[in-house]
Every structure is written in structure tokens, then in C-alpha cells.
Amino acid sequence: MELRPPSVVALVEELQQLPGVGPRTAVRLVQHLLRAPAGASRLAAAVGRAAEQVRHCSTCYLITEDDPCPVCRDTTREGVICVVEDPLNAWAVEATSEFHGRYHVLGGTLDPLHGVGPDELTVAALVRRVQEGGVNEVILATNPTVEGEATAHYLARALHAVGANVSRIAFGLPAGGEISYADQVTLSRALAGRRGMD
Amino acid sequence: MELRPPSVVALVEELQQLPGVGPRTAVRLVQHLLRAPAGASRLAAAVGRAAEQVRHCSTCYLITEDDPCPVCRDTTREGVICVVEDPLNAWAVEATSEFHGRYHVLGGTLDPLHGVGPDELTVAALVRRVQEGGVNEVILATNPTVEGEATAHYLARALHAVGANVSRIAFGLPAGGEISYADQVTLSRALAGRRGMD
């Protein structure tokens, strides 16, 4: 006999669609939600509202409720575009308060083996933004992974072809790190990227 | 500047209320939901429906949409009550197809240091069910943990006092296990619980 009520079975199935949520975690989440019904109602409303109101900015592809997004509407931003893989990365860059330009969200990295080419990302839109002018620099801030590096190299070629000034964020030791714990790739890059001191 | 739309901030906050979901996981879940808006709407509906329709059975405290629950309404079930800590455990017992009796969900284990006494669990309701008659046996299926064991011992005393026939599920080696990998407590219990072979 199936002891789980139909609405719980349905909820477990929906939760299992989430990344990293297996059957056991799903049931645990259900239990928690059922123990706190007020919280569950609030969560349902929050999921529904976000799904309804959130879209991508048609210029920079950031997640936004208004199109164009607040950054694209902000006339005080500098003519620099920071290219990132996903909105999370843009949020992280913005949180540093070091960057006062605009963003461009690629939507992932090139992955030819899985059928992800430039057309699956927002590459053409990025090239178009550069061609429209007013862009002094494009900072490639894809992740320091094999895929992120390959994507950055592809973008650099495509952007140089339309005359853009392209840079790549620096690789090196993370702040607060310990040299003896750093992996070889990181340490090699930190050495290669050394800068003169006065 | 806060780049995250208000509805995303609200959703991240609600998701972080879930057990095991920190800020990073919450943002990942949000990203997934935003990538699949149809899935997000279905999840919102499923959470809302479960929160609205699901309650505890007033007899056995299983999670149910109808009170009394299907098990308590089922007149073919045997007069045996399997006592478990939470509904998950009842679902697991039911899935074995070895058990054809009824259930009683305690709602946790005794934990005097954190203020959980018999009144915080459904102990009185269990004793009342035994006193009402028709119960041939009470199987204590609390978890094989220190808390589960202590709770089982407390329940055994309380149930013996009203004349119940009380048993405890067996402890021993799990099926498919490897004796040399078993912890000492499990192996000791497996030895102590040995049974004659013909």
C-alpha cells in the first residue's frame, strides 16, 4: 500500500528535479515543509513569484525583473563589459565594489562535445554590443577552468576581430591562502603572473 | 548595487530555511528554477498543495490527506501496531510488504536535555490505543540509536503497565554487509541475537 499521500508523492517528484536533491533529501525537505506549513506556503509563494517575474535582460542577460535591467539603464556605468558565465558570477564581481562597468552573461561555456557552440551562448549579442560602440574594454571573467579558459580564448579572437580591447582577470594565489597548500597549476600561474615591485 | 531582483532575494531567503540548504545551494536552486520556469511553477504548486492538504492522522499520526488515514480505515489490517519515530520510517516498513498491521508515529524520540518528554511525543495516544483493545502486539521500531533505544525502553515500561505484548525489531548485520566491516556494536548485537539453526 502506498502510505504517502498523492500531494506528497507529487512534491517529492518535483523536488527531485532540483540539482543535488535525491529521493532521501526530497523526503527530508517534504518533512520539514510539512512540519512548518506557514514556511511551506511562503516558499510556494516565493518560488511562484520568482518564476513569474524574473527574466533575462535582453541586452546583458542578467537575471532581472525589468528589461533592460538596472545596470543597463544606469547611465553612470563605465564603458567596460565584464563577461561572465552565469549571473552568480556577475553578482560576485558586483559585490567587490571594484567594478563599475556593465556585464554580459554568456549562459555557460563552450562545450562542443555536448553540442554547446557559440550559438548556444550569447556570443553574437556580445559582439553586437561591442560593434555598437562605447565599449572601451571587455574583461573576460569566465571561470579559471579548462572550459572557462577555452571559452575566453575563443571570445578574445572573436572580439579582437571587431577591434575590442580585451583583457582576462588575473590568476594567482587566493587571498589568505598558504603557498604550500596551493595546487601546482595555481602556483605556476601565480609565478608566471608576477609583477614588479618598487 | 544589489543585482539580484527582489523576488530572487526573497526566494533565496525562503530556501535557506530548508535543512541543509546554505546561501550557495539556495542560489544554485534559484538558478535551476529560473532556467526551467515551467518546473518552478509546478514546484510552487506542489509545495502549496502539500502544505494545504496534508495533515496528521488523529489516530496514528501518519501524514495523510484524509483523517483517519487509509491505514486506520483499512479493516483488513492486523491488530499489531508498529511504533516509529517519523512517517519516513513507517513508509520504509510498509515498503517491505512484511508488515500488515497498523502504525503509530511518535514524532521523535525522548530527549529530556532538550525538553522533549513523553508529552511532546504521541505516547499518551499510543497507550490509549492499546487500552481501547484489539491490539495483540506492539512492535517498537524506533531507530537503533541511543535515543531510539532509550525511547523504546520507556515505551516498553509504559505499555507493559497497560498489559500490552511488546517487542523490539531485531538488531544485527545488514543484508549484503561484510562482517569485517561491521562496527563493534552491530557485531556484538548480531552475536547476542543469534538464533538456533536446524
Side-chain angles (χ1 to χ4, degrees), chain A residues 1 7 14 27 65 88, chain B residues 1 7 27 42 65 77 88:
Chain A
M1 185 169 174
S7 60
E14 288 302 332
V27 169
E65 288 176 5
L88 283 186
Chain B
M1 184 170 177
S7 60
V27 170
R42 280 203 313 275
E65 289 177 4
R77 294 260 167 171
L88 283 187

Side-chain angles (χ1 to χ4, degrees), chain B:
Chain B
M1 184 170 177
E2 171 61 87
L3 293 189
R4 300 179 306 166
S7 60
V8 171
V9 174
L11 177 52
V12 168
E13 261 163 34
E14 287 303 332
L15 284 170
Q16 281 184 237
Q17 308 297 317
L18 299 176
V21 178
R24 206 153 172 89
T25 312
V27 170
R28 252 178 223 304
L29 290 177
V30 167
Q31 269 231 296
H32 175 84
L33 292 174
L34 298 179
R35 240 182 253 130
S41 302
R42 280 203 313 275
L43 176 61
V47 173
R49 209 158 43 231
E52 213 171 82
Q53 300 187 350
V54 164
R55 68 208 73 216
H56 289 109
C57 172
S58 59
T59 302
C60 74
Y61 296 91
L62 273 176
I63 283 175
T64 179
E65 289 177 4
D66 309 297
D67 187 13
C69 74
V71 176
C72 287
R73 282 202 313 271
D74 182 352
T75 53
T76 69
R77 294 260 167 171
E78 298 167 3
V80 180
I81 295 179
C82 178
V83 179
V84 291
E85 294 178 17
D86 62 36
L88 283 187
N89 297 347
W91 300 347
V93 170
E94 182 76 7
T96 64
S97 305
E98 284 296 311
F99 181 72
H100 310 286
R102 299 165 191 283
Y103 295 94
H104 193 87
V105 178
L106 287 175
T109 50
L110 295 175
D111 186 356
L113 290 181
H114 293 93
V116 183
D119 292 347
E120 276 67 48
L121 306 178
T122 63
V123 174
L126 173 61
V127 170
R128 209 157 44 234
R129 284 178 76 183
V130 170
Q131 286 174 319
E132 280 165 5
V135 179
N136 306 319
E137 183 182 357
V138 179
I139 304 174
L140 301 177
T142 51
N143 287 326
T145 57
V146 172
E147 298 78 19
E149 277 290 85
T151 305
H153 280 109
Y154 174 88
L155 289 176
R157 262 204 314 277
L159 292 166
H160 282 142
V162 292
N165 173 18
V166 182
S167 64
R168 179 88 171 105
I169 46 162
F171 294 147
L173 294 166
E178 155 70 52
I179 291 181
S180 58
Y181 290 163
D183 65 282
Q184 289 184 4
V185 176
T186 300
L187 200 49
S188 304
R189 283 173 167 178
L191 287 167
R194 68 190 180 281
R195 293 162 74 164
M197 281 184 79
D198 301 315

Side-chain angles (χ1 to χ4, degrees), chain A residues 34-48:
Chain A
L34 298 178
R35 239 182 253 131
S41 302
R42 277 204 314 277
L43 177 62
V47 173

Side-chain angles (χ1 to χ4, degrees), chain A residues 111-128:
Chain A
D111 187 355
L113 290 181
H114 293 91
V116 183
D119 292 346
E120 277 67 47
L121 306 178
T122 63
V123 174
L126 174 61
V127 171
R128 211 161 38 237

